[in-house]
């Protein structure tokens, strides 16, 4: 992978990472090298180890072997404050009554004690990120009553309030209705462009990966292939990753997704 000028440092280095769950190998010697400033997609079938790999990067899953280095740090605890993470799903009880404003306020030291502060002051401090993600109209809504797409936008806003250098997204359009998927990926691409973040996302939407990713890793317990979307989104590479016949992206580019 050729890093663009100014992004020679690696944001993510994974070498020979191995993980077994319940005695079943899930990751079998995975290597990743992701330069700063890229949008990199992880694709592959269900059960291929994509979410497990993200959990390893966050220290939520112990590895059996291998090395992980993030943002130039060998010690994960030093890198974590500079990493944002949006999980695939966040299960909330309907009785969870925090509003979007109160939930987002928990992310900033200046607004963490929101119950002592005026709404106008909180909104002022949250303002730029709220505007960027288009969630201003949701600030008074209970978080537990948001739709899937609305909740994902709020979770990304929550992550961005920490000013991360690396943003990890696990199937960010899970639970988002089909018409909203394209808009959602465009929001992520705009956030990436404006903030010069490194973005690593797990996605099953091959058309959106083709449109927005700069590099693709096809994972099925091992890295089956990697390259630009043009290199990976072909019949041979996709069959190698998925183990079945999968139509390459260019067969679908005229469809509505």
């Amino acid at each position: 992978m050729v890093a663009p000028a100014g992004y020679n440092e690696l944001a993510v280095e994974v070498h020979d990472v191995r993980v077994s769950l319940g005695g079943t190998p899930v990751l079998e010697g995975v290597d990743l090298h992701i330069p700063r400033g890229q949008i990199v997609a992880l694709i592959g079938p269900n059960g291929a180890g994509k979410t497990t790999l993200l959990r390893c990067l966050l220290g939520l899953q112990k590895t059996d072997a291998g090395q992980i280095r993030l943002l130039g740090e060998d010690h994960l605890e030093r890198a974590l404050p500079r990493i944002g993470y949006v999980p695939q799903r966040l299960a909330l009880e309907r009785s969870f009554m925090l509003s979007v404003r109160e939930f987002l306020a928990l992310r900033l030291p200046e607004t963490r004690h929101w119950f002592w502060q005026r709404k106008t002051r909180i909104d002022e401090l949250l303002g730029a990120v709220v505007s960027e993600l288009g969630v201003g109209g949701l600030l008074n809504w209970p978080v537990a009553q948001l739709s899937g797409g609305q909740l994902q936008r709020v979770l990304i806003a929550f992550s961005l309030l920490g000013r991360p250098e690396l943003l990890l997204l696990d199937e960010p359009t899970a639970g988002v209705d089909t018409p909203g998927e394209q808009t959602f990926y465009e929001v992520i691409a705009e956030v990436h462009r404006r903030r010069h973040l490194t973005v690593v996302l797990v996605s099953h939407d091959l058309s959106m990966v083709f449109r927005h990713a700069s590099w693709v890793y096809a994972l099925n317990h091992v890295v089956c292939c990697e390259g630009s979307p043009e290199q990976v989104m072909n019949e041979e590479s996709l069959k190698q990753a998925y183990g079945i016949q999968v139509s390459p992206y260019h067969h679908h580019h005229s469809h509505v997704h």
Side-chain angles (χ1 to χ4, degrees), residues 2-219:
V2 178
Y7 291 118
N8 292 324
E9 292 182 52
L10 292 175
V12 178
E13 300 171 72
V14 174
H15 177 64
D16 196 29
V17 161
R18 299 172 183 272
V19 174
S20 293
L21 299 177
T24 301
V26 177
L27 299 176
E28 304 180 64
V30 169
D31 294 282
L32 301 181
H33 298 90
I34 299 175
R36 291 177 185 260
Q38 302 282 312
I39 296 183
V40 173
L42 303 177
I43 66 170
N46 289 331
K50 303 181 299 296
T51 294
T52 298
L53 181 55
L54 286 194
R55 288 175 57 82
C56 289
L57 297 183
L58 291 161
L60 299 174
Q61 173 62 54
K62 189 176 184 301
T63 60
D64 299 329
Q67 293 84 42
I68 295 175
R69 182 178 169 88
L70 301 178
L71 301 172
E73 297 284 0
D74 291 311
H75 298 288
L76 181 60
E77 61 273 13
R78 290 208 291 261
L80 277 177
R82 299 153 63 194
I83 299 172
Y85 171 56
V86 178
Q88 187 178 133
R89 289 180 184 83
L90 184 64
L92 293 171
E93 295 288 336
R94 298 293 288 182
S95 58
F96 182 83
M97 292 308 294
L98 275 188
S99 70
V100 169
R101 176 185 289 106
E102 293 158 355
F103 176 70
L104 292 177
L106 296 174
R107 187 67 183 89
L108 292 178
E110 305 94 315
T111 57
R112 192 166 294 148
H113 302 295
W114 51 264
F115 40 88
W116 299 116
Q117 297 184 6
R118 298 191 313 275
K119 286 183 180 179
T120 52
R121 175 58 178 159
I122 294 172
D123 290 354
E124 182 183 319
L125 291 166
L126 299 178
V129 169
V130 163
S131 174
E132 189 174 8
L133 272 295
V135 296
L138 302 175
L139 289 176
N140 292 316
W141 287 36
V143 174
Q145 293 181 18
L146 299 178
S147 71
Q150 290 168 338
L151 180 58
Q152 289 301 87
R153 281 179 181 256
V154 168
L155 292 177
I156 291 179
F158 187 89
S159 291
L160 292 181
L161 285 167
R163 299 182 179 89
E165 297 169 42
L166 171 62
L167 184 61
L168 306 178
L169 304 165
D170 191 358
E171 293 194 42
T173 56
V176 179
D177 58 14
T178 302
E181 286 186 16
Q182 181 172 342
T183 301
F184 194 87
Y185 276 99
E186 286 167 356
V187 167
I188 292 170
E190 181 60 21
V191 166
H192 165 262
R193 184 194 65 76
R194 188 181 293 119
R195 292 173 173 259
H196 309 293
L197 291 172
T198 306
V199 178
V200 179
L201 64 92
V202 170
S203 181
H204 286 293
D205 190 330
L206 300 186
S207 65
M208 293 301 157
V209 167
F210 189 93
R211 194 169 295 135
H212 295 293
S214 49
W215 199 257
V216 180
Y217 283 93
L219 189 71

Side-chain angles (χ1 to χ4, degrees), residues 206 233-235 238-239 244-252:
L206 300 186
M233 301 296 186
N234 61 71
E235 198 167 320
L238 292 177
K239 185 175 181 182
I244 57 173
Q245 203 74 24
V246 178
S247 295
Y249 165 70
H250 62 258
H251 285 183
H252 295 287

